Amino acid sequence: MNSSVMRGVLRYLSPAAFAAACVMLISAVALFMQPYIGMADNGDFFRILYSNGLYFNDPNYNSQYLGFFVKNYGIYQYYNENGATLYSSQSLFIKASMYVNHIFHDAQNFDIRYQAMLYLVLYVIAVYLLVEALTWKISKKKGYLIAVIAIFILGDTGYTAYFNSFYSESVVLLMTVLLFAAGLLLYRKRYNDYVLLAVFVLSAIALTTSKQQNAPVGIITAVLGIFIIYIRKKRSYRIVTLISLFVMLGVGIGTYVLIPKEFVNINKYHAMTRGVLMDSVNPEKTLETFGINKQYAVLNGSLYYNPYASVDVNSKMLQDNFYSKYGFGSILSYYLSHPDQAGNMLNLAARDGFTIRPKAMGNYEQSVGKSFGAQTVFFSGYSLLKDALSPKTFGFIILWILIVLGLYTPAFVAAIRQRQWRSALRLPLIVMMILMGLSGIFVSIIGAGDADLSKHEFLFTLTFDLVSLLTVVDVLAKRLWNNEPINELETDES
């Protein structure tokens, strides 16, 4: 495309539309053109697969774990005896894509690309809304620069490859971008507030229920969402918003309470063997502080899934003498009383906290002929640079947080003093995203040690990118220290 044609296209295409179109094109090439890009199963797919009426129908599936992406699955035709292993909003998207698959493809075989298609359509909408919020009332020249940055980050195959998989990270990606976009559009007073509030609430609920690890998200969004109540004076709006926040809070609590016991034990096992004990100088003494017999130190460093374990991880003995002796609170207390060990775990988390795509999972089908575990480099510049260049210490994360909060706090204080509640919304949104990301780190460490840490920290790496993107945009737009005063007296009909 020559420069004159490009200029003609950009003349009629907003930066948001340009970003959405480019992300759609790039992702379509990766997901739907050979060689198809997806994510290999690390053993987690069964948790969501069977209960939704799908099963593994490839006779060589077991040999492809971690190494190769599989795109075809069988659909139960008569009776599915498998109950729900876990309750997740992800099931809604799987069911919807199965319905589309049934119409256009096959009633007996499920092609995962139909799911990827559904995710991509929603993702393109999310990218459009986010870039629209970022470029609102900015010159087109700067707007297109911002759009290019957004494409470089959000179009990265490290993110979109999840769409061709049964990992809940697909839902996490979609809903986090939608949540942040809706919040920023409320702040900018762009579009209808009631519609944006609905998008904000539904995204928060879907994000919270996408995986048990995200239970704190509902609580965080409900608490920080209090600021949304005050952006309108109309009583009906405030009542609706307050009810919505209570619903989000309840969903967060409910998601935690409804975690299946099987997964509680898996996570508790790893929290001790791959967390507390692994970095302890004296594992036997550490166990005694929890009231656990020191003989269980033999489990130090082991995985729940080890085929040849020294003890049956599902035995009543382990339930009575090991699992029942500790929980989230006692492990948190242990780390607080052992700051050196906590610091080591946080630094361990930081080393994986900037990896968008876990290194242990291949992206290609076995038939392509790539080596086991081979990963694509197609439009992966951002994820590769981020993984290579980001400082791998928790100290850097703290520094990043302090810088971001320091840059935005003066405008927030000024807005509060002037009672410009909508203008004050920007900082609470940023704090909300930061806390959501940190919850991913802390819940992972305290709840499951270092087991599958890079994937468990997906929410952090995503919120880091979104907050950093907003900060860069506000620097380019020269509105970092401004409240961007908005007419707080605009009518409720707007």
Side-chain angles (χ1 to χ4, degrees), residues 178-401:
L178 273 175
L179 178 70
F180 194 43
L184 288 177
L185 289 168
L186 280 168
Y187 160 65
R188 307 278 191 217
K189 198 168 177 57
R190 180 79 169 113
Y191 304 129
N192 182 276
D193 284 346
Y194 289 94
V195 174
L196 292 173
L197 176 64
V199 174
F200 184 89
V201 173
L202 292 175
S203 299
I205 291 173
L207 174 59
T208 303
T209 56
S210 62
K211 57 193 305 183
Q212 287 74 22
Q213 179 190 340
N214 291 342
V217 170
I219 300 171
I220 293 169
T221 53
V223 173
L224 273 300
I226 290 174
F227 283 87
I228 298 176
I229 295 176
Y230 298 100
I231 65 175
R232 277 180 178 267
K233 296 181 179 180
K234 196 171 182 179
R235 188 167 178 265
S236 60
Y237 169 83
R238 292 188 172 184
I239 291 174
V240 169
T241 305
L242 186 61
I243 292 173
S244 300
L245 296 180
F246 273 112
V247 170
M248 290 157 58
L249 181 64
V251 168
I253 296 172
T255 300
Y256 177 78
V257 171
L258 293 174
I259 297 176
K261 185 177 180 180
E262 176 190 355
F263 297 131
V264 170
N265 285 348
I266 293 173
N267 292 335
K268 288 182 72 173
Y269 186 90
H270 290 148
M272 183 61 70
T273 64
R274 301 294 305 179
V276 172
L277 295 181
M278 192 174 66
D279 201 41
S280 173
V281 176
N282 190 333
E284 290 83 1
K285 185 176 180 180
T286 296
L287 284 172
E288 290 177 342
T289 64
F290 287 91
I292 300 174
N293 192 307
K294 63 182 181 180
Q295 67 177 330
Y296 287 101
V298 70
L299 301 177
N300 185 14
S302 65
L303 291 170
Y304 186 92
Y305 300 106
N306 281 353
Y308 306 107
S310 54
V311 63
D312 181 2
V313 293
N314 294 310
S315 66
K316 187 177 185 301
M317 180 184 70
L318 214 61
Q319 183 64 49
D320 295 340
N321 302 314
F322 191 70
Y323 296 130
S324 63
K325 300 293 185 179
Y326 63 96
F328 191 92
S330 57
I331 291 179
L332 176 60
S333 298
Y334 175 83
Y335 280 127
L336 290 175
S337 61
H338 296 78
D340 290 344
Q341 195 170 338
N344 291 337
M345 289 300 294
L346 289 172
N347 282 328
L348 180 64
R351 285 199 290 273
D352 288 319
F354 298 96
T355 300
I356 297 174
R357 175 176 44 198
K359 296 180 176 64
M361 300 174 194
N363 293 137
Y364 294 100
E365 291 181 278
Q366 190 171 26
S367 59
V368 173
K370 298 283 187 179
S371 60
F372 186 91
Q375 293 188 327
T376 182
V377 294
F378 174 74
F379 208 84
S380 300
Y382 177 73
S383 57
L384 293 173
L385 283 173
K386 183 181 180 182
D387 188 35
L389 301 180
S390 297
K392 303 298 191 293
T393 65
F394 194 74
F396 170 74
I397 295 176
I398 295 175
L399 180 61
W400 169 75
I401 292 172

